[in-house]
């Protein structure tokens, strides 16, 4: 369906074609039927969510697999496990396996949701790699952290997973795929596993947490506007040592409320017959929330998101491993998108020019960094979209041998596909590596305001830890924490539409069955004039919500500047760094 937010209203210069009364009556019946079916799908979603929780919130991985290692039983337990992908449909791993190819390990993000969204269908990272003959492994995790679990425990568990995979495929260093937040985990893992890994592929992964475009990427301001890490500690204390992933998902929805509250429901309302299965499949993942331990979430927020210590080269996790991106020796492939508002290319690529002062420094470090930019796909689409998996991810996999043979330096990966067919094979499409200069990655350095955020966070955190946290921890208990989870708005707004809580939704189910039995096929093609007017009206609501969100973001920018100082700008009246345009050489520019 076209983006309703950019829909063009009916041309007023053209004479309006007025529907006759029979069309109007038919449209009203059709709209009523769609409304009944829409609310019935909301009822089904509520029941799905309740069933997921009753089943222990299992992952949604669609591939058959076997568990090789369960880190919950390690001496330092963590809620992670290593899976070997064995089949999907008719693709049996043992039948597809190419003995010459290295193993592939995929790490999904642990950012409030459960694992598996990148492996819900055949056309995925896992499916493409399996079909191409790679031994495929998947790092999964469970809904609740182990008692006392720390980020170091997780990293050591991941290290054992890599050791186990490397031992099964001697002489073929594993390829590491990190999706979103799994990307910084992959980088930390690569620094812990020096010499054991092959290339590392980062898909929509943030490493420069302070980077972004003023007015476009407001999430980076959240730490400053909330006063630092202390609210995270408060929520984890209230959760009896666990941080509810629903809070993270709520942050994502708050980033674009017009989508969370309106746009994502429009395709379902306009075509409830065709969109039902897709909507329920995605919502089954989106609304199943996994927890992090208090130590994990505070470490992540304090040192990465607020401290930006990974990029700055001062991260110390306390296990004796030096965390310095200049020490990374695994070739890097960075896949980012200009349409990604959660991990914009600023955050995926901006760190390169800050870690390596120039191109010569990158070459002297012996590092190979390749980046690939998609012009429009959204954040989840980078590792979820079937078309991206069939083409870009397959092209990346097929080009990894070439990446390892490149001379040290910075390269942009280009893909030329004159056929336009994502299923085509080489040499029908070609891959090139265009050498770039670090100096030409024109992302402005972060403002000193973000360093002031870090100082404020430390002060607030010390006050909270000394005066408030001990009392909250003393009062917290498992029963109160469970009640708080069930009363979270992200859950309540969903499960209250189940007939278990709202008996009248049973009547909606009965009406929906009757509507499906009587509904005429091809309803979307009927009443074109009225359906066009309907789309115009829906688009107007979208635009109003978008304008409201833009006003909110502008206010947040103003408030952040007032509290911590202004942003640097390229020129008077400029809007900060952007890579929506490139210079003549094709290098991303700040404009």
């Amino acid at each position: 369906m076209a983006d309703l937010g950019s829909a063009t209203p009916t041309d007023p210069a053209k004479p309006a074609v007025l529907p006759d009364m029979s069309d109007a009556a038919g449209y009203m019946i059709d709209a009523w039927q769609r409304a009944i079916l829409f609310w019935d799908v909301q009822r089904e979603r509520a029941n799905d969510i309740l069933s997921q929780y009753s089943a222990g919130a299992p992952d949604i991985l669609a591939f058959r697999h076997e568990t090789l290692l369960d880190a919950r039983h390690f001496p330092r337990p963590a809620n992670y496990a290593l899976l070997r992908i064995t089949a999907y449909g008719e693709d049996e791993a043992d039948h597809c396996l190419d003995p010459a190819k290295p193993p592939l390990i995929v790490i999904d993000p642990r950012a409030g949701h459960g694992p598996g969204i990148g492996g819900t269908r055949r056309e995925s990272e896992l499916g493409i790699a399996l079909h191409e003959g790679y031994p495929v492994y998947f790092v999964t995790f469970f809904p609740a952290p182990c008692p006392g679990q720390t980020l170091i425990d997780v990293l050591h568990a991941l290290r054992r997973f890599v050791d186990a995979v490397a031992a099964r495929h001697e002489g073929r260093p594993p390829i590491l795929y990190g999706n979103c937040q799994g990307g910084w985990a992959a980088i930390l893992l690569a620094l812990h596993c020096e010499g054991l890994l092959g290339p590392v592929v980062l898909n929509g992964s943030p490493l420069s947490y302070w980077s972004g475009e003023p007015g476009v990427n407001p999430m980076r301001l959240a730490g400053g506007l909330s006063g630092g890490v202390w609210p995270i500690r408060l929520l984890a204390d209230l959760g009896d040592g666990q941080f509810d992933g629903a809070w993270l998902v709520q942050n994502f929805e708050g980033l674009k409320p017009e989508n969370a509250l309106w746009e994502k429901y429009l395709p379902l309302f306009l075509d409830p017959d065709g969109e039902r299965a897709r909507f329920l499949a995605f919502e089954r993942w989106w609304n199943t929330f996994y927890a992090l331990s208090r130590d994990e979430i505070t470490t992540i927020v304090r040192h990465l998101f607020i401290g930006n210590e990974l990029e700055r080269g001062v991260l110390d996790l306390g296990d004796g491993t030096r965390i310095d991106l200049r020490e990374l020796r695994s070739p890097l492939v960075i896949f980012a998108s200009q349409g990604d508002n959660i991990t914009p290319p600023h955050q995926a690529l901006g760190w390169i020019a800050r870690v390596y002062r120039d191109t010569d420094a990158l070459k002297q470090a012996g590092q190979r960094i390749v980046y690939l930019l998609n012009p429009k796909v959204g954040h989840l689409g980078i590792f979820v979209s079937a078309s991206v998996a069939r083409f870009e991810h397959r092209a990346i996999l097929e080009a990894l041998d070439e990446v390892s043979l490149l001379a040290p330096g910075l390269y942009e990966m280009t893909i030329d596909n004159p056929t336009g067919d994502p299923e085509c094979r080489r040499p029908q499409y070609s891959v090139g590596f265009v050498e770039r200069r670090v100096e030409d990655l024109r992302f402005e350095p972060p403002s000193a305001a973000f360093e002031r955020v870090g100082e404020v966070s430390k002060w607030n955190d010390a006050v909270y830890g000394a005066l408030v946290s001990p009392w909250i921890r003393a009062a917290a208990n498992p029963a109160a924490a469970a009640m708080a989870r069930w009363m979270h708005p992200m859950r309540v707004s969903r499960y209250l539409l189940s007939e278990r809580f709202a008996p009248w939704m049973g009547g909606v189910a009965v009406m929906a069955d009757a509507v499906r039995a009587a509904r005429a096929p091809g309803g979307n093609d009927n009443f074109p004039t009225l359906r066009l007017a309907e789309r115009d009206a829906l688009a107007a609501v979208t635009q109003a919500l978008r304008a409201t969100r833009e006003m909110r973001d502008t206010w947040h920018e103003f408030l952040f500047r007032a509290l911590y100082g202004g942003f640097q700008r390229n020129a008077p009246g400029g809007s900060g760094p952007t890579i929506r345009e490139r210079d003549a050489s094709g290098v991303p520019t700040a404009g």
Side-chain angles (χ1 to χ4, degrees), residues 78-274:
N79 65 328
Y80 278 75
L82 176 66
L83 311 180
R84 184 178 79 92
I85 302 301
T86 58
Y88 184 91
E90 297 180 355
D91 283 344
E92 296 282 347
D94 293 338
H95 298 165
C96 301
L97 185 63
D98 182 343
K101 291 186 175 179
L104 177 74
I105 305 173
V106 175
I107 304 177
D108 251 11
R110 186 159 166 242
H113 303 102
I117 186 60
T120 57
R121 50 191 166 187
R122 160 69 176 81
E123 296 83 3
S124 63
E125 294 170 342
L126 299 179
I128 294 298
L130 185 70
H131 189 70
E132 295 295 318
Y134 288 84
V136 181
Y137 298 85
F138 184 77
V139 175
T140 190
F141 46 88
F142 302 98
C146 295
Q149 179 174 311
T150 68
L151 189 59
I152 290 297
D153 296 335
V154 172
L155 287 174
H156 286 189
L158 296 179
R159 170 67 186 265
R160 285 190 60 176
F161 293 170
V162 172
D163 291 344
V165 171
R168 293 171 64 95
H169 304 273
E170 190 172 352
R172 286 173 288 161
I175 301 165
L176 204 58
Y177 258 58
N179 294 327
C180 185
Q181 299 296 335
W184 58 256
I187 288 293
L188 294 179
L189 178 58
L191 289 168
H192 277 69
C193 299
E194 186 177 350
L196 293 175
L197 284 178
V200 177
V201 181
L202 307 180
N203 301 306
S205 300
L207 296 182
S208 295
Y209 298 94
W210 293 350
S211 297
E213 182 178 349
V216 178
N217 306 120
M219 185 176 285
R220 66 204 178 106
L221 310 180
L225 296 177
S226 64
V229 73
W230 76 268
I232 301 297
R233 290 186 62 188
L234 171 62
L235 292 172
D237 288 344
L238 291 171
D240 198 30
Q242 293 188 11
F243 180 82
D244 187 0
W247 293 108
L248 296 176
V249 180
Q250 182 172 283
N251 280 344
F252 291 131
E253 291 205 343
L255 189 63
K256 290 187 70 174
E258 71 270 25
N259 178 70
L261 300 174
W262 183 254
E263 286 181 288
K264 81 170 183 177
Y265 295 103
L266 295 186
L268 179 65
F269 174 70
L270 292 170
D271 182 18
D273 308 285

Side-chain angles (χ1 to χ4, degrees), residues 350-370:
W351 63 275
I352 299 172
R354 295 163 204 151
V355 170
Y356 304 99
R357 65 181 182 276
D358 53 30
T359 305
D360 288 339
L362 175 61
K363 292 181 177 181
Q364 289 170 9
Q367 180 58 290
R368 303 158 183 83
I369 301 178
V370 175

Side-chain angles (χ1 to χ4, degrees), residues 379-414:
H379 179 70
L380 284 175
I382 293 176
F383 49 93
V384 173
S385 169
S387 60
V388 170
R390 289 199 305 269
F391 189 57
E392 278 98 335
H393 281 299
R394 182 157 51 81
I396 290 172
L397 276 174
E398 292 179 352
L400 286 180
D401 286 342
E402 299 169 55
V403 170
S404 298
L405 296 175
L406 290 171
L410 176 68
Y411 302 84
E412 180 177 7
M413 179 176 173
T414 61

Side-chain angles (χ1 to χ4, degrees), residues 211 345-346 349-350 353-354 440-445 577-579 588-590:
S211 297
H346 308 70
L349 298 170
R354 295 163 204 151
D440 292 331
L441 285 177
R442 298 170 193 164
F443 300 106
E444 289 184 359
T578 176
I579 69 158
T589 64

